[in-house]
Amino acid sequence: MNDTRKYKTKSQASEPTLKRLPGYLYYLEQVKEEGIINISAPVIGKELGCDPTQVVKDLAVTGIKGKPRVGYNTYELIHALEDFLGFNKINEAFLVGAGNLGSALMAYQEHQSLGLKILAAFDVDEAKIGQTIGGIHILEYNKLFHLSGRLNVKIGILTTPNNVAQEVAEDLVNCGIKAIWNFTSAKLSLPKEIIVQSTSMSSYAAVLLRRLNDADL
Amino acid sequence: MNDTRKYKTKSQASEPTLKRLPGYLYYLEQVKEEGIINISAPVIGKELGCDPTQVVKDLAVTGIKGKPRVGYNTYELIHALEDFLGFNKINEAFLVGAGNLGSALMAYQEHQSLGLKILAAFDVDEAKIGQTIGGIHILEYNKLFHLSGRLNVKIGILTTPNNVAQEVAEDLVNCGIKAIWNFTSAKLSLPKEIIVQSTSMSSYAAVLLRRLNDADL
DNA sequence: TCATAATAAAGAAAATTTTCTTTAAATAAA
DNA sequence: TTTATTTAAAGAAAATTTTCTTTATTATGA
């Protein structure tokens, strides 16, 4: 009756918190480079321009506790964050749609620091099939079904044209994919247990352009 | 004393609303293709999987009013959204850092539908200078200062390595750039009137991977 | 023409997220 | 050893965002 898990099972960490965590991680890695062993929430907050209380609450999701008057152990905190986010293990993924954006994501080296490993890319374009970008082979789309049977890949990166996004997403789900990183503008209708993370460039452009126009009076 | 504009001047539209608007726009364009003249908030909500009241409130920021029992005029609504978001005018931008991600954004055709026009790209890498990607020339970084004097470009797209992001951002500001679309992981410290929109791939990866691990029990 | 049903708009309530306040713990200095 | 100071943690309050309710409007059908 009272439908608490209305959209999807909630992580104990809120989405805003999760989105901030990589920022802490990046900053802490810089701090570690400088040889700083302990770091306090007020310092992190000042550096990253956010509330120190928020820093404490965000970092609490990792289970790490700081010591009063000392702060957190930099090394320990980095490990806990990587562990919590799953950045320190190999998260295998398939990519579908080796167009401009897809090719870029294949070439984008920083995925590795997120523990994200694109095993293979798929496309229907004959001209692209057989090519290698960033060490990743572009295979014929139909091969997706064979490969997924042998491998236990859980993440699908969707960079197809909008008009085939739904269809491809369904194929991915049928291939055992549990989570889809959707770079298209399409709204995907999938079983509710499938995790869909939509990254729409146009959403960001919207905020940027509107703020700019607001500022221009 | 009471610091209401703590971060930046607020648009009348909230950030969550702004981020949803391109989704409505994309859907409405599909609807228009089908020749549907009027569309109601409940229908939009059902199709996009969100609350109809939220649809009404989101669309209200454009100033367009719907008619009871009829809904909104599709064509009028599309125009109002494009107008409000600034997608129907040419928003000129410079891009700095023609690496993997930068090259992708240059080649990414869909920016045009956002009214975003990358006039030129800049890099310090001799191997890249002189190349053309997606019809955009890659120029020597120092040329940025000359070109910005002649043109009145307000948007800077930042796709440099993290360690030079702050420095380049400051250069962009000195060149008259008012808004920076930041694709690096660096936290930028800039004058508060500069609009910074950070699009961190790692934030999305964080949410996706964590939710996946949560689901895996 | 009038009644009915569907829908936008405005306002209220609920939920979520962020910020503020208090408390307790621990280090460093006296 | 004791005191003062800094800081994390827990709880409270405020702000924001989303959802729910009510009201008023308008097209459709009788």
Side-chain angles (χ1 to χ4, degrees):
Chain A
M1 201 81 220
N2 62 340
D3 190 4
T4 36
R5 49 154 177 69
K6 191 161 274 181
Y7 295 111
K8 60 192 77 164
T9 310
K10 283 270 310 251
S11 165
Q12 58 271 42
S14 70
E15 183 152 331
T17 294
L18 286 174
K19 285 194 173 177
R20 282 190 295 266
L21 293 181
Y24 297 123
L25 186 56
Y26 173 70
Y27 170 68
L28 289 167
E29 276 161 359
Q30 285 185 302
V31 161
K32 189 185 127 194
E33 288 300 307
E34 293 169 28
I36 295 166
I37 294 166
N38 290 303
I39 185 132
S40 73
V43 171
I44 297 173
K46 199 165 290 171
E47 202 62 37
L48 266 51
C50 60
D51 191 272
T53 315
Q54 190 172 63
V55 175
V56 172
K57 290 198 172 168
D58 284 344
L59 298 180
V61 301
T62 64
I64 294 293
K65 292 189 181 287
K67 281 186 189 168
R69 227 188 136 82
V70 173
Y72 300 90
N73 178 275
T74 313
Y75 183 81
E76 191 180 29
L77 194 51
I78 288 173
H79 260 258
L81 278 168
E82 286 179 339
D83 225 56
F84 183 76
L85 295 172
F87 284 7
N88 58 0
K89 59 176 189 176
I90 295 167
N91 302 284
E92 294 176 331
F94 284 145
L95 183 145
V96 185
N100 289 321
L101 193 57
S103 303
L105 293 176
M106 290 162 74
Y108 194 51
Q109 301 297 325
E110 289 197 47
H111 280 151
Q112 289 168 17
S113 69
L114 311 178
L116 210 60
K117 183 166 177 61
I118 302 174
L119 289 187
F122 301 90
D123 207 296
V124 290
D125 183 353
E126 292 287 344
K128 287 169 191 157
I129 295 164
Q131 283 187 12
T132 300
I133 297 174
I136 300 158
H137 291 282
I138 302 174
L139 309 175
E140 196 195 333
Y141 183 60
N142 288 333
K143 292 252 174 70
L144 170 65
F145 301 90
H146 303 124
L147 249 92
S148 62
R150 295 200 288 113
L151 305 163
N152 184 28
V153 175
K154 289 179 182 163
I155 301 168
I157 300 173
L158 191 61
T159 49
T160 63
N162 294 322
N163 57 333
V164 295
Q166 175 66 34
E167 187 187 342
V168 170
E170 287 171 14
D171 284 348
L172 284 168
V173 170
N174 288 331
C175 288
I177 292 289
K178 302 285 183 238
I180 291 179
W181 196 351
N182 175 29
F183 283 89
T184 76
S185 295
K187 156 78 186 161
L188 303 178
S189 296
L190 297 170
K192 65 177 190 322
E193 69 270 19
I194 302 298
I195 296 155
V196 177
Q197 187 62 36
S198 289
T199 301
S200 162
M201 292 291 157
S202 51
S203 286
Y204 284 96
V207 177
L208 185 96
L209 294 179
R210 183 63 213 173
R211 296 244 184 279
L212 189 58
N213 286 344
D214 277 346
D216 279 358
L217 139 108
Chain B
M1 202 78 221
N2 62 338
D3 192 357
T4 35
R5 50 156 176 67
K6 190 163 275 181
Y7 295 111
K8 60 193 76 167
T9 311
K10 281 272 311 254
S11 165
Q12 59 272 40
S14 70
E15 182 153 333
T17 293
L18 286 174
K19 285 194 173 176
R20 282 189 295 264
L21 293 183
Y24 297 123
L25 186 56
Y26 172 71
Y27 171 67
L28 289 167
E29 277 161 357
Q30 285 185 301
V31 163
K32 190 184 127 195
E33 288 300 308
E34 293 169 28
I36 296 167
I37 294 167
N38 291 302
I39 186 131
S40 72
V43 172
I44 298 173
K46 199 166 291 175
E47 202 62 39
L48 267 52
C50 58
D51 191 273
T53 316
Q54 188 172 65
V55 175
V56 171
K57 293 201 169 164
D58 283 345
L59 298 180
V61 301
T62 64
I64 294 294
K65 291 190 182 288
K67 282 186 189 167
R69 230 186 133 82
V70 173
Y72 301 91
N73 178 274
T74 313
Y75 183 80
E76 190 181 29
L77 195 51
I78 288 173
H79 260 259
L81 278 168
E82 287 179 339
D83 225 57
F84 183 77
L85 294 173
F87 283 7
N88 58 359
K89 59 177 192 175
I90 294 167
N91 302 284
E92 295 177 331
F94 284 146
L95 183 146
V96 185
N100 288 322
L101 193 56
S103 303
L105 293 176
M106 291 162 73
Y108 193 50
Q109 302 296 325
E110 288 197 48
H111 280 150
Q112 290 167 17
S113 69
L114 311 178
L116 211 59
K117 184 169 175 58
I118 302 173
L119 291 187
F122 301 90
D123 207 297
V124 291
D125 183 353
E126 292 288 344
K128 288 171 191 155
I129 295 164
Q131 283 187 14
T132 300
I133 298 174
I136 301 158
H137 291 283
I138 302 174
L139 309 175
E140 197 195 332
Y141 183 59
N142 288 333
K143 292 249 171 70
L144 170 65
F145 300 90
H146 303 123
L147 249 92
S148 62
R150 296 200 287 113
L151 305 164
N152 184 28
V153 176
K154 289 178 182 165
I155 300 168
I157 300 173
L158 191 61
T159 48
T160 63
N162 295 322
N163 57 331
V164 296
Q166 176 64 35
E167 188 187 341
V168 170
E170 287 171 16
D171 284 349
L172 284 168
V173 170
N174 288 331
C175 288
I177 291 289
K178 302 285 182 237
I180 291 177
W181 196 352
N182 176 30
F183 283 89
T184 76
S185 294
K187 155 79 187 163
L188 303 177
S189 296
L190 298 169
K192 68 179 188 319
E193 68 271 18
I194 302 300
I195 296 155
V196 177
Q197 187 64 33
S198 289
T199 302
S200 163
M201 292 291 156
S202 52
S203 286
Y204 284 97
V207 177
L208 184 96
L209 293 179
R210 184 60 214 173
R211 296 245 185 278
L212 190 59
N213 285 342
D214 276 347
D216 280 358
L217 138 106

